[in-house]
Each structure stands twice: as C-alpha cells, then as structure tokens.
Amino acid sequence: MAHLVDGHGFGEVALAGPQTGAPDGMSTALRRDGVTLVVTQPFSDSGEGARYVDRHGDSIGDIAFLSTDVEQDQARAVAGGATSLAAPAPSRAPGQAGAPYGAVSGFGDLRHTLVSETGLTAGHLPPDREWTLLRAVDESQATDLARSGDVSALDHIAVCLEAGTLRDTVAFYERAFDFPYYSSEYIEVGGQAMDSIVVRNATGGITFTFIEPDPDRAPGQIDRFLTAHAGAGVQHLAFHVDDIIGTVRKLSERDVDFLHTPATYYDMLEGRVAGMGDRIADLRETSVLVDRDEWGYLLQIFARSPYPRGTLFYEYIQRNGARGFGSSNIKALYEAVERAREAASR
C-alpha cells in the first residue's frame, strides 16, 4: 500500500477492519482522482485472503461493477455461466444502507462485486463491510499529486489467460456481463506470440484486454506471469492521464520506477510515427512510448512491478484520438533492444 500512497499519489479515504465486518483482512480504500482501489492485508495465515495471496501473490482479487439492478444483473451473470458468490443483500457501506449488492465469479479466481448505483454518497466502497471514513471520498486528497486531477479514469484492465481459454472467456463475458467484442490482434515478437481480444461494456467505462500466449511459440512474458500468478489474473491496471510527460516527471520524483526505453527506440520513432519530431526529446527523457492508429496516437509508459512475484504493475496512458492499446510498441521495443545489443557487440 505504501507504494500506491507514497509513489503513485493515492490518498487514504476509509478503513475497515475486524470490528467493522471486513471478511478478509484490514482494508484501506485509496483514491486518486477518478480511480478507487481497496487494499486488503489478511488477518492471519489461515483465512481466505491469506490463501489467495499465498496462491497468487500480490494481485487483484475483485473488480466491482456498478449496477442499476443488482438482482437482475446477478441473475443474468449466473445464467451466463458465472457462479453466485454472494446473494444480493443490503449494503453495509456508509451512505449505501439498504442498497443491494451481490457477487459472482469472473475469470480465474477473480470475483466481481455488483454494487448498486443507489445511494453512493460515500463513493464506491465495497458494500459488504462497514467503513470508517477518514475524509469525504469525493474531496481532494492529501497529496498535491492526488489533487492534480490528472488521472481521469481507469483506461483498461489487462488480463493474462492460460493458453486455449481466450475465446471461451470472451464469450463468457459477453453472455454474463454484456461486454461485447471490441477488437482483436495477434502479436508476434521474435520467437514469441500472443493472441488478444478486447471487450468493452456499452458505455465504454469498462474495458478488458484479454491476452493468451501461443503455446506453439517460445515462452514469453505472458507465460512468466501465469507461472508467477499460478493461473489467470490481472497483469496491469492502466490509468488514463491528460499530460503523461508531466505525470511521469512527478511520479519519478516520488521514486516510481518506470521501465527504461532503449535510445534506439527514439532513433527510429519519427520514421515509425510521423509528427513526433518536436516531442522526441521529452519522450526520450521520460522513456514514454508512442503508437499510432487510424484515429490518432497514444503515449504510454509502464511502471516496474513493486511486488516480489511481479504479479501486478501499472501503466499510464494518454490518448490523442487513438483507440488501440499500443501493441506496435511491443514489436518496436523488441527491435530497439536487438539494435542496442548489436551495437554493444561491435
């Protein structure tokens, strides 16, 4: 949690512990601009939360969906193949008394809590426990960074799946949650390859990028994640920002460790993405990546995972019209690393 607060600038807004009915451990609700995260530390080595962490490492265990009709959406999810994990019941979160919530299974061991849109005066807090508010969830947070307003939303959630499960998972999310197909891409990098499908809900507020490795190619980063995580899970959360260069500079001052981009990547950038000439110096300084599609371009960067098993990391992304997810950067980075290696061997 300290990494999210001290590094990424999230502010603590509420606490829930054993005396307030938290089921898995001591929970802290964190908020930065348009994103709310809940971090839970298991009470003991024998509880459900501890077993989840022991199996998967530091990981995302629950992704909550807002619902206009919890009972109806839960019934649809179960009819679509999900398992009911908590029948609809009255919320215990402050400001949500009486509003129902439920929970169903998602991919792997992950669950989806269904939170009613009714009475969310305390913000989007897990409704299965009582919270002690440290400050109003919607007020400016403790740090200057958190008050900056630069993180406007969760852009997308990237999920690694075991080989051979991609299409069944996508079909399940369309049946159970009404998340239709948005786009797909098969990506080859050297001897490695991965298949990806993006699904998005009707409002565009929730986007999943599902990725599986090609088992007929050499093992790569997706295989390594699946081994470390012991199965399917959230690989990274992508935060949408309006000024990625400024955000990266501020976060770097707070000791967030971003992945370094080889200089050779920027040597070839103008030829790959036209119109970046006057920005290349800033991009090179901050290691920000660039990709372009038919709608525009995007800027993105990945922070190094702070967790022992490398089971979760964070991305920052700025969109200037682009609707893709920077897949061309995977190949461009691979080629840049190869050029740097060749130059070093001369």
Side-chain angles (χ1 to χ4, degrees), residues 55-76:
R55 176 172 172 78
H56 298 296
D58 297 281
S59 176
I60 303 293
D62 190 319
I63 297 174
F65 297 148
L66 280 180
S67 169
T68 56
D69 188 327
V70 170
E71 289 88 349
Q72 177 178 300
D73 287 341
Q74 177 133 350
R76 174 193 172 124

Side-chain angles (χ1 to χ4, degrees), residues 313-337:
F313 61 89
Y314 306 102
E315 173 188 358
Y316 287 83
I317 184 168
Q318 176 184 332
R319 294 186 180 275
N320 293 75
R323 302 179 187 177
F325 299 89
S327 58
S328 295
N329 276 322
I330 298 174
K331 184 176 181 180
L333 276 173
Y334 178 87
E335 292 172 345
V337 170

